[in-house]
Amino acid sequence: MNVSGRITQLLAADEQVVGHSQQTLLLPDGREGIRVYVRDDRGTVPDHIDGLPVLVEVVGRVEHHSLTSIDLTTQLGLDPRTRTRPLVGGISVSQSPHAPGDGTLGYFVRRADLLLLLTAAHVLTSQGQSVLQPGTGDGGTNDDMVATTDTRVYDPAAGIDAAIARIATGVDCTLDINGLGPIATTGPAALNQVAYKSGRTTGLTAGMVIDTDCVQTVGGQQFQHQIVVDAFAASGFSQGGDSGSLVVARNTAGKLFAIGLITGGSGRISVVNPIGPVLTRLGVTLAV
């Protein structure tokens, strides 16, 4: 069921709270309740709210992941921070000039017959600007221009932080993600689903979906209807530079399908825009 407005107001009053479920969840102990995400400690968050048990998750500060201050690459396949042609998903990109930080080329989308690349809007902050691969933090220069930013949507209230860019003439692409392979389709996230991503900084990682509809404060902005992935590894599911990575899962036939796009996270969790609203708002379809 929907979490009541009163619960939202109670949690908003606690500065330690960075997010909470928007739907009740089946908690690990089998009870129906809500998850509350806090920075450092539970603060004033009670054990129960309106009769619902509360599971508190200490996740640290949640920020956008277009940073370049860490280097935790664990990859299969290509080094994601080097110049890569043809382009594939999971490699370094940034805007030029005035890059806010390197991010990740998530995958490719289509608008009619036009092929475009997909990443986060806070990675490509201005329409009409050049997109470099690799990004400027990885040595990219104007000679590495591969695309031009076409459309960007940064709308926390709608839960969307996404941008597309027109691929330059003569730049080849392979519909593939570094270390993962091609993506067959899109689909919804599900609780306890195993998720994967390949990104500029942390390479190929895996985690578990622990929330499919939550409010999360990312970089000071409150994003609605987000997916939360909890990493299997201590290094996290994503880190600075992984924003824009496509998050995928496997169906019963073993085929990969896209569930969302990384906007940010903390040292433990990653916050993911659901892929359906992202594609609809941008007016594109996943390239398959």
Side-chain angles (χ1 to χ4, degrees):
M1 69 178 185
N2 288 325
V3 174
S4 73
R6 196 176 84 79
I7 293 176
T8 300
Q9 290 175 356
L10 283 170
L11 296 176
D14 190 327
E15 63 181 18
Q16 279 288 329
V17 174
V18 296
H20 65 83
S21 305
Q22 290 183 286
Q23 304 282 334
T24 54
L25 307 170
L26 191 64
L27 301 179
D29 62 7
R31 296 179 298 168
E32 185 179 34
I34 61 173
R35 265 192 170 95
V36 176
Y37 303 90
V38 300
R39 289 193 184 96
D40 305 306
D41 59 62
R42 71 179 302 133
T44 61
V45 178
D47 293 330
H48 292 77
I49 301 177
D50 280 1
L52 291 171
V54 175
L55 176 63
V56 174
E57 304 274 9
V58 179
V59 298
R61 186 173 295 277
V62 182
E63 300 288 354
H64 284 309
H65 273 170
S66 61
L67 309 175
T68 57
S69 59
I70 55 176
D71 183 5
L72 300 173
T73 302
T74 302
Q75 93 257 344
L76 296 175
L78 305 166
D79 182 340
R81 294 164 298 172
T82 61
R83 190 177 192 275
T84 301
R85 305 290 185 276
L87 299 178
V88 296
I91 58 176
S92 166
V93 291
S94 76
Q95 177 181 286
S96 177
H98 311 305
D102 290 0
T104 297
L105 192 169
Y107 203 60
F108 304 98
V109 295
R110 293 190 190 277
R111 186 171 61 209
D113 293 331
L114 183 65
L115 188 68
L116 306 104
L117 64 83
L118 174 69
T119 187
H122 73 267
V123 173
L124 305 183
T125 58
S126 302
Q127 291 180 222
Q129 296 296 312
S130 296
V131 179
L132 307 183
Q133 196 296 307
T136 54
D138 294 319
T141 70
N142 288 337
D143 291 336
D144 299 307
M145 185 267 202
V146 296
T148 303
T149 303
D150 179 281
T151 305
R152 55 184 308 278
V153 178
Y154 188 84
D155 186 355
I160 299 173
D161 170 18
I164 51 177
R166 292 182 179 228
I167 297 165
T169 301
V171 176
D172 292 328
C173 308
T174 298
L175 301 184
D176 190 273
I177 294 180
N178 185 23
L180 283 169
I183 309 304
T185 186
T186 63
L191 286 177
N192 303 319
Q193 186 178 56
V194 176
Y196 307 89
K197 81 97 189 61
S198 183
R200 174 261 175 204
T201 301
T202 56
L204 181 60
T205 58
M208 180 174 289
V209 175
I210 62 169
D211 216 326
T212 59
D213 186 7
C214 79
V215 179
Q216 280 287 343
T217 300
V218 184
Q221 299 292 317
Q222 194 174 77
F223 279 76
Q224 303 286 326
H225 307 300
Q226 297 297 281
I227 300 164
V228 177
V229 178
D230 195 0
F232 289 146
S235 58
F237 187 73
S238 65
Q239 295 287 356
D242 289 328
S243 279
S245 298
L246 194 70
V247 179
V248 302
R250 292 190 186 276
N251 62 22
T252 54
K255 300 291 187 182
L256 293 170
F257 64 95
I259 62 172
L261 198 70
I262 289 179
T263 183
S266 66
R268 177 183 163 189
I269 64 165
S270 292
V271 181
V272 180
N273 299 171
I275 194 65
V278 165
L279 298 180
T280 298
R281 187 71 175 269
L282 290 170
V284 296
T285 59
L286 198 74
V288 296

